[in-house]
Amino acid sequence: MKSIAQKEFISTLRDRRFVVLSALVLALLLTATLVGRASFRTLQRERQLAQTTVNDQFRNQPARHPHRVAHYGSFAFRPRSGLSLLDAGVDSFTGSAVYLEAHQQNSVNFSQAQQSGSLIRFGEMTVAFVLQLLVPLLIIFLCFGAFTQERETGTLQLLLAQGTTLRQVAWGKIRGYCQAVALVVAPALALAAALLFTGEEFASNTDLLARLVLFGLSYAVYFFLFVVGSVVVSARQASSRAALVTLLGLWILGGIILPKATANLGASLYPTITKAQMDAEVHEEAQHGVNGHDPHDQRAAAIKAALLKKYGVDSEEKLPVSVAGVQMAAGEAYSARVYQQHFAALNATYEQQNRLSDWAGLLNPYQAIRPLSMGLAGSDFTHYVHFQQAAEAYRYGLVQRLNGLQASMGYGDKERRLDAHTWRELPVFAYRAPNLHWALPHLFLPVAALLLWAMVLSWLGLRLISKTSIA
């Protein structure tokens, strides 16, 4: 097996077609890595500057009423995750900033897709794109003649005559081809690691290192699947042409047709409402109650009556707190609860759509590696939702703190202002991305699908090879 692997590896390196194709793929990988790093640094620097600017603007406001400060609001900018330079995931489509204000939960806007041409819909030239689609294509052109060429030249019978089994021949070829593929992919991943861990922002980041290691191992398993699958198809086909056509058909089916079909099926089975519909429903329930019989005016009147009873006074002027501030806080709590219910329902629908695609990974390894790659890179939907929830939690806490300041001002607060230094004591938004331990449970199904493919294909595929005719 070792001799066969060495022979295949050397023969591959002498093949001009492989040299040309591998050079192109390697060039694309290195270019995508360098471009991704440059884009990452530019976007990260811009977002950090923007976040610092809006934080300073918020803290340096003049003397104002707290409610006006709540409506002045602030912005939350989502920082890019370290491995997003390898796999941008959904980051280009989900937006980068959200406006935080009182009484309103805004969506994340200003995505790259909104500001780019229509070509972005065909995918970005990222490292993940090359690894997921182009490297498997290189493997197909490398391995389609693994057995058919041996059979056509008559050398397969000579190998078997020396006491070698078909299974040993297959494993030797798989080992040799894996070495050749590693020769193409390893430099790009080494460059990515060098670019990541020589930057000041990633120094001694053990979580990022663990993500990168799992990222590389995941793709190693993915490439192994294509090598084994290509060798199996070559063994079962009568000619090299038939093997190549079959493998290309499977590549098109798995990389283009099935993902699109699954996405369309998910959207049909689990339709979502539009943002306008959701905003209208949230506003309606916040104003008239979840059940439609608890209007905002009645809730406000009940709060005022409860305050008068609590403090034992008969008029608003005698209260030690501002009724408007207390009502604002209660209204904010009610509308936030309504929003969270609708937001959870919408995310549950998206999760159902994504889960359908994840289950499809049991039928298509491409649909197993794609969510796994995005999840490890921190650029998938779950990481995006984590940012949304963190921004909303900050918005709610800030608004309620301002409502509390207004309530503490007492009656006649509308004519008063708080000193400018008050705003400097308020916390500013600082997002901390979740670690790998948080992300792994969301990636269980893609990991299981990829490993299941590896085990089944190794066992079943090589069993089929052992039953292949050598004639």
Side-chain angles (χ1 to χ4, degrees):
M1 289 172 57
K2 183 177 180 181
S3 299
I4 294 173
Q6 185 177 7
K7 176 261 179 186
E8 292 296 339
F9 180 67
I10 295 175
S11 299
T12 299
L13 297 182
R14 292 175 178 173
D15 189 337
R16 292 183 178 179
R17 294 171 299 178
F18 172 78
V19 172
V20 172
L21 290 175
S22 61
L24 289 174
V25 171
L26 180 58
L28 287 174
L29 280 173
L30 296 177
T31 301
T33 303
L34 293 172
V35 171
R37 173 59 168 167
S39 175
F40 169 84
R41 299 188 70 174
T42 300
L43 291 174
Q44 191 77 325
R45 185 166 53 248
E46 290 176 350
R47 294 179 187 182
Q48 288 176 348
L49 177 60
Q51 189 69 68
T52 301
T53 301
V54 298
N55 288 345
D56 290 342
Q57 289 174 345
F58 183 85
R59 283 181 162 177
N60 294 312
Q61 294 181 79
R64 281 177 173 169
H65 190 276
H67 192 62
R68 186 175 180 184
V69 174
H71 278 289
Y72 179 84
S74 184
F75 280 90
F77 291 86
R78 184 188 178 195
R80 294 287 298 269
S81 63
L83 288 188
S84 63
L85 68 91
L86 301 180
D87 191 341
V90 300
D91 285 357
S92 298
F93 302 91
T94 51
S96 58
V98 56
Y99 179 49
L100 311 174
E101 59 177 330
H103 318 316
Q104 182 70 32
Q105 294 84 7
N106 298 306
S107 59
V108 186
N109 293 313
F110 309 112
S111 68
Q112 289 177 262
Q114 289 176 318
Q115 307 172 56
S116 303
S118 58
L119 287 178
I120 197 173
R121 297 179 182 273
F122 294 94
E124 298 176 90
M125 181 56 68
T126 62
V127 173
F129 174 82
V130 178
L131 294 178
Q132 291 169 11
L133 289 175
L134 299 187
V135 172
L137 194 59
L138 173 66
I139 293 174
I140 288 174
F141 283 106
L142 170 64
C143 304
F144 76 93
F147 272 91
T148 54
Q149 289 181 356
E150 298 276 12
R151 193 183 294 116
E152 290 165 356
T153 58
T155 54
L156 182 59
Q157 292 180 335
L158 293 176
L159 280 173
L160 299 179
Q162 299 178 35
T164 307
T165 64
L166 283 171
R167 187 183 293 267
Q168 290 175 323
V169 173
W171 275 117
K173 289 179 176 292
I174 290 171
R175 179 177 174 180
Y177 292 141
C178 287
Q179 291 174 349
V181 173
L183 195 64
V184 178
V185 177
L189 292 180
L191 175 62
L195 292 174
L196 281 172
F197 295 101
T198 54
E200 295 180 2
E201 62 270 39
F202 301 126
S204 67
N205 191 330
T206 55
D207 185 77
L208 187 66
L209 176 61
R211 285 176 179 267
L212 184 61
V213 170
L214 291 179
F215 187 87
L217 290 176
S218 300
Y219 277 101
V221 176
Y222 182 64
F223 299 148
F224 173 77
L225 295 179
F226 274 90
V227 171
V228 174
S230 298
V231 170
V232 171
V233 170
S234 179
R236 301 296 296 179
Q237 295 296 324
S239 66
S240 297
R241 177 177 297 181
L244 180 59
V245 170
T246 301
L247 289 170
L248 289 177
L250 292 174
W251 179 81
I252 294 172
L253 178 66
I256 300 175
I257 298 177
L258 282 180
K260 182 63 176 178
T262 305
N264 291 338
L265 179 61
S268 299
L269 293 177
Y270 309 108
T272 58
I273 63 173
T274 64
K275 181 181 182 300
Q277 288 176 306
M278 179 175 168
D279 289 344
E281 292 178 3
V282 170
H283 178 75
E284 176 69 19
E285 293 184 12
Q287 290 298 317
H288 302 287
V290 176
N291 56 9
H293 302 288
D294 188 19
H296 177 267
D297 292 343
Q298 290 184 9
R299 298 197 304 270
I303 290 173
K304 181 177 178 180
L307 287 173
L308 293 174
K309 182 179 180 181
K310 176 181 178 180
Y311 290 100
V313 296
D314 56 2
S315 66
E316 182 178 343
E317 292 83 354
K318 298 177 181 179
L319 288 172
V321 296
S322 167
V323 174
V326 178
Q327 290 173 337
M328 289 290 182
E332 191 68 47
Y334 194 92
S335 63
R337 185 167 67 251
V338 171
Y339 171 79
Q340 287 297 335
Q341 291 174 353
H342 283 267
F343 182 73
L346 180 63
N347 281 340
T349 303
Y350 284 130
E351 289 291 347
Q352 288 176 314
Q353 294 179 357
N354 292 335
R355 187 61 57 183
L356 180 63
S357 181
D358 290 345
W359 279 107
L362 296 173
L363 302 175
N364 179 15
Y366 173 74
Q367 290 177 272
I369 191 62
R370 189 170 63 172
L372 179 57
S373 177
M374 290 190 295
L376 292 173
S379 58
D380 63 347
F381 180 72
T382 56
H383 282 79
Y384 167 70
V385 171
H386 185 275
F387 168 77
Q388 279 188 307
Q389 293 174 335
E392 169 57 20
Y394 169 79
R395 184 205 69 83
Y396 179 75
L398 176 65
V399 171
Q400 290 296 63
R401 186 164 179 172
L402 292 169
N403 287 331
L405 289 174
Q406 180 182 354
S408 66
M409 294 169 69
Y411 178 75
D413 64 277
K414 292 182 179 180
E415 307 301 325
R416 303 173 189 171
R417 303 289 182 270
L418 294 182
D419 293 337
H421 70 83
T422 305
W423 322 130
R424 299 188 185 96
E425 298 176 357
L426 298 176
V428 295
F429 181 74
Y431 178 65
R432 185 178 180 85
N435 57 26
L436 179 61
H437 184 266
W438 176 90
L440 285 178
H442 301 281
L443 304 175
F444 174 77
L445 185 55
V447 170
L450 206 61
L451 294 178
L452 185 62
W453 265 99
M455 292 185 292
V456 172
L457 197 57
S458 298
W459 176 77
L460 182 61
L462 295 178
R463 188 171 183 179
L464 290 174
I465 288 178
S466 64
K467 298 180 180 180
T468 299
S469 173
I470 63 174

